[in-house]
Amino acid sequence: MTVPFILLTGTELEVLEDAHARMLGPGRVSADPEPGAAVREEARRSLTVRGLVGADGVLLEDEPLTERLALALDVRAGSEGVLVVERTVQVAERPVRAARVAHLTPFGACVEDVAHDDLLGEVHGLALLTGPAEVTQALTDVLVPLHAAPGTGPPRRVRSSRAADLVRDLGRPTVLAEISWAAADRGPGPRSAVDPGVDSWLAALGPRGCFGAARPTAGGGRDGREDVVLAPVDPEWVRDLVDRLVRAVVVVPGEEGTMTG
């Protein structure tokens, strides 16, 4: 199981990105006033008390935690692509969403959990992983339930992009998953490794069977309508798909060097 080495609010993460940029060079940070300055100042004070940012607003150096944090921020900023896995589960008759985002480089990934807390708002958890197998495992851990069964029967057609409609139309799966790829301008992308021209996939996973399909790049229309046909698949279909996407960027440790931290 992937355990984040640090948890941050969305505002704290923004402040740390600025603090990291200041550490690399003052010219990297805009001097223009930021919206929500009071909230950002409170976040900066919190990070200062925790020993992550100095009084000058610069990310502190020569500390194990801040060294890992600086590396994670480097990976997020310099990734060759971002692989996002989003899952929706039913909790008390309402869909609850969470996302795990992998910022990919040839040497490994910064895996970022993004969730919403009723008290704190958006919360981010950061972890550093090396090797394609480790990254694939981290992403599929949050998608494929232990009791997922191979899909059987005819394909299932869905005509809505709304989570509640999808859960209903797909037989109330344990997990409704979307896998999306966004390539950096300098990155080759995984299209040669998977389906040319496709960068989003939908899957329904649970004890009543697993179903999956490529999703139209344009997504649903303004009324939330779309037409996707999900074919029966084995639970390993998700793992294989994610692994091919990850290995389009991340190499086996030793072939191109390693990521430390």
Side-chain angles (χ1 to χ4, degrees):
M1 178 181 293
T2 301
V3 179
F5 69 84
I6 191 168
L7 294 175
L8 302 162
T9 67
T11 305
E12 287 176 335
L13 183 56
E14 291 176 4
V15 172
L16 282 172
E17 287 174 330
D18 285 348
H20 183 233
R22 291 178 188 278
M23 183 181 72
L24 297 175
R28 295 173 179 262
V29 181
S30 171
D32 295 336
E34 295 281 351
V39 177
R40 290 174 61 87
E41 178 60 22
E42 181 63 28
R44 189 191 66 79
R45 286 198 295 266
S46 171
L47 294 169
T48 302
V49 170
R50 292 157 64 183
L52 300 176
V53 174
D56 55 358
V58 176
L59 185 68
L60 294 177
E61 298 183 82
D62 302 324
E63 294 290 340
L65 179 57
T66 54
E67 287 179 356
R68 295 179 72 190
L69 185 53
L71 179 56
L73 295 172
D74 282 338
V75 172
R76 289 174 83 256
S79 65
E80 294 188 3
V82 179
L83 186 56
V84 181
V85 297
E86 298 178 89
R87 75 171 188 179
T88 302
V89 298
Q90 284 291 116
V91 176
E93 297 303 317
R94 69 183 182 95
V96 176
R97 292 182 173 180
R100 177 163 280 186
V101 182
H103 305 268
L104 305 175
T105 75
F107 313 114
C110 173
V111 174
E112 180 176 350
D113 287 328
V114 185
H116 183 83
D117 181 88
D118 291 340
L119 178 62
L120 300 175
E122 196 173 84
V123 177
H124 299 252
L126 303 181
L128 286 167
L129 302 178
T130 58
E134 190 177 12
V135 178
T136 296
Q137 187 67 46
L139 296 175
T140 54
D141 276 349
V142 298
L143 295 182
V144 184
L146 293 176
H147 55 278
T152 59
R156 299 184 178 184
R157 184 181 299 274
V158 295
R159 300 182 181 275
S160 172
S161 61
R162 298 185 179 93
D165 295 340
L166 287 169
V167 169
R168 180 200 62 215
D169 294 344
L170 293 169
R172 299 195 174 278
T174 304
V175 173
L176 177 65
E178 183 167 12
I179 302 160
S180 305
W181 168 263
D185 291 340
R186 61 189 173 280
R191 289 179 173 81
S192 61
V194 194
D195 300 322
V198 176
D199 53 20
S200 180
W201 296 262
L202 188 68
L205 311 164
R208 299 179 182 178
C210 296
F211 296 81
R215 194 170 195 174
T217 301
R222 292 183 178 179
D223 60 354
R225 306 293 293 181
E226 65 177 312
D227 195 342
V228 183
V229 178
L230 282 76
V233 297
D234 189 88
E236 285 299 306
W237 178 83
V238 171
R239 184 179 299 277
D240 292 342
L241 170 62
V242 170
D243 194 57
R244 282 182 289 162
L245 293 167
V246 168
R247 290 177 187 273
V249 177
V250 185
V251 301
V252 176
E255 291 184 0
E256 293 284 345
T258 60
M259 178 186 297
T260 59

